[in-house]
Amino acid sequence: MKLNHLDLQVPDVQATARFFTRYCGFTSHAKNHDSPAIAILGGTDGFVLVLQRRKRDTDVFPEDFHLGFLQDSEAPVLAFQERVKADGLEVSDVIRNNRGTLVYCRAPGGILVEVSCRPGAV
């Protein structure tokens, strides 16, 4: 089975869409690029990320809920960390462990994003 899409409920659709297009390589699929209610973003592998406006302010993601993006080598992981840090976003230090090289960043809407590569990827 191939994962088709993920639908996330966020308080600010456009701010979250800008994060995923700027830092994660998604492109907009929707004709209405400025909609406050929905954004449909496509990844390079055919995956679709749907962002919809959260209906209630009390709806939040669980603390450890996150999206993980896998890179082929350490360089793009480090570049991601530098870019988001330079833009003033909350981002972790680079973590190197038995899972590989990882960084975590808070996207708009409180979504935790992991960018990593597997051990031994250079």
Side-chain angles (χ1 to χ4, degrees):
M1 238 185 275
K2 180 180 175 182
L3 184 61
N4 179 43
H5 73 275
L6 179 65
D7 186 326
L8 298 175
Q9 309 295 303
V10 297
D12 186 335
V13 169
Q14 290 307 311
T16 308
R18 283 190 298 275
F19 175 90
F20 284 105
T21 55
R22 177 168 171 78
Y23 302 110
C24 301
F26 282 86
T27 56
S28 178
H29 278 321
K31 292 180 182 180
N32 184 353
H33 299 288
D34 299 322
S35 171
I38 189 167
I40 301 170
L41 307 175
T44 57
D45 62 354
F47 175 74
V48 175
L49 179 62
V50 179
L51 304 170
Q52 293 193 66
R53 185 174 43 215
R54 187 180 291 158
K55 293 177 180 42
R56 295 177 300 271
D57 288 337
T58 56
D59 293 340
V60 294
F61 295 105
E63 182 179 348
D64 293 329
F65 173 84
H66 68 279
L67 301 177
F69 294 96
L70 186 62
Q71 298 289 340
D72 291 332
S73 67
E74 188 175 87
V77 177
L78 302 178
F80 172 85
Q81 197 255 4
E82 290 174 11
R83 284 185 69 206
V84 296
K85 188 175 189 175
D87 287 348
L89 298 173
E90 178 186 342
V91 64
S92 72
D93 291 333
V94 174
I95 302 163
R96 291 182 178 91
N97 60 29
N98 62 344
R99 291 181 48 221
T101 302
L102 312 95
V103 295
Y104 292 92
C105 177
R106 278 282 166 205
I111 301 168
L112 186 60
V113 174
E114 172 189 308
V115 177
S116 66
C117 68
R118 294 196 169 115
V122 181

